Amino acid sequence: MNSAQDTFKSGTIASFPTLFGYMSIGIAFGVVGVASNLSVLEITLLSILIYAGAAQFIFCGLYLVGTPMSVIIFTTFIVNLRHFLMALAIAPSFTKYSVLRNIGFGTLLTDESFGVAIAEKAKSNTLHGKWMDGLNVTAYLAWIAASIIGAFVGNWIPSPEKFGLDFALSAMFIALLVLTISASPKSKIMHYLKLIGVMVFVIYGLLYIFPSHLAVIVSTLIVATIGVVTERK
């Protein structure tokens, strides 16, 4: 990426391929939030303060069945631990920026923006601050707006699962995976596909030992380590 592309606008443009996904999933969350007896204000605050699709859907499910708030907070924390791994992966590109700036990059990092950033880094071998701000802030605002829209729409959709809205997040992750792999160099695609196979095998085994949310974290750590070691070789 040259210096001319290190702009907020270029980061915003880079977010467009996933922006429709943000909007659809955000609207789905708003609808599910209303079905979980959350108000429009509560749905909006969840999107502003938590800003994590998977965790927000989990929050709705736990809240609906009367789960203690301490358990909800702990579960949300565990589910979002993967964000530390993603932030660590892109952190070397931002060592020249201040600590406060890096906190901003990490706070607004999501699975989708991480996928876009990694794909960009694979092409240009670097990332820049203004570009990352454009990517993150655009996605953040789109998510909040979509959640609010979904909250109002949810008043007319009493059973969102009938329309498949509860599958929206899974569909977005699948689409992001396909886009990330297709944007990768051909020499690395087979390596990534092998790692996906290992991930399936590892997480399947760990599900017999750990709860699902812990199995995801542990398997991610294991396979990410394998990926780094094998790629260096």
Side-chain angles (χ1 to χ4, degrees), residues 44 55 63 91 128 158 215:
T44 303
Y63 177 79
H128 294 288

Side-chain angles (χ1 to χ4, degrees), residues 37-233:
N37 300 321
L38 295 174
S39 67
V40 174
L41 177 60
E42 289 169 333
I43 290 170
T44 303
L45 289 175
L46 281 173
S47 291
I48 293 174
L49 300 176
I50 296 180
Y51 185 43
Q56 289 177 226
F57 278 98
I58 291 172
F59 178 95
C60 289
L62 294 176
Y63 177 79
L64 187 62
V65 297
T67 305
M69 191 55 62
S70 58
V71 175
I72 294 177
I73 293 173
F74 179 74
T75 302
T76 302
F77 174 75
I78 294 298
V79 169
N80 285 342
L81 276 177
R82 70 187 188 282
H83 290 180
F84 286 104
L85 301 176
M86 295 188 295
L88 286 173
I90 66 170
S93 297
F94 301 109
T95 53
K96 65 180 180 180
Y97 297 99
S98 67
V99 173
L100 185 62
R101 194 83 187 279
N102 274 273
I103 291 174
F105 295 143
T107 299
L108 295 183
L109 190 66
T110 65
D111 301 274
E112 294 79 14
S113 60
F114 173 74
V116 174
I118 286 297
E120 181 62 31
K121 187 177 180 181
K123 291 189 295 182
S124 60
N125 201 35
T126 187
L127 296 171
H128 294 288
K130 292 179 182 178
W131 182 90
M132 197 69 193
D133 287 335
L135 174 69
N136 281 341
V137 173
T138 302
Y140 182 51
L141 296 178
W143 176 257
I144 295 172
S147 299
I148 295 173
I149 293 172
F152 284 107
V153 172
N155 291 311
W156 291 276
I157 306 179
S159 301
E161 66 278 358
K162 292 182 179 179
F163 299 91
L165 293 178
D166 53 338
F167 184 70
L169 190 65
S170 301
M172 179 61 185
F173 285 151
I174 294 172
L176 182 63
L177 175 63
V178 172
L179 288 172
T180 302
I181 291 179
S182 63
S184 302
K186 291 184 179 180
S187 59
K188 293 186 177 182
I189 290 179
M190 185 55 65
H191 177 66
Y192 293 155
L193 291 176
K194 289 180 180 178
L195 289 175
I196 292 172
V198 173
M199 183 69 177
V200 172
F201 177 79
V202 172
I203 196 170
Y204 181 78
L206 291 179
L207 285 173
Y208 288 97
I209 305 174
F210 301 108
S212 59
H213 56 277
L214 286 179
V216 171
I217 298 298
V218 175
S219 59
T220 299
L221 287 170
I222 293 173
V223 178
T225 302
I226 294 173
V228 171
V229 173
T230 55
E231 189 170 21
R232 287 179 177 175
K233 292 182 178 180

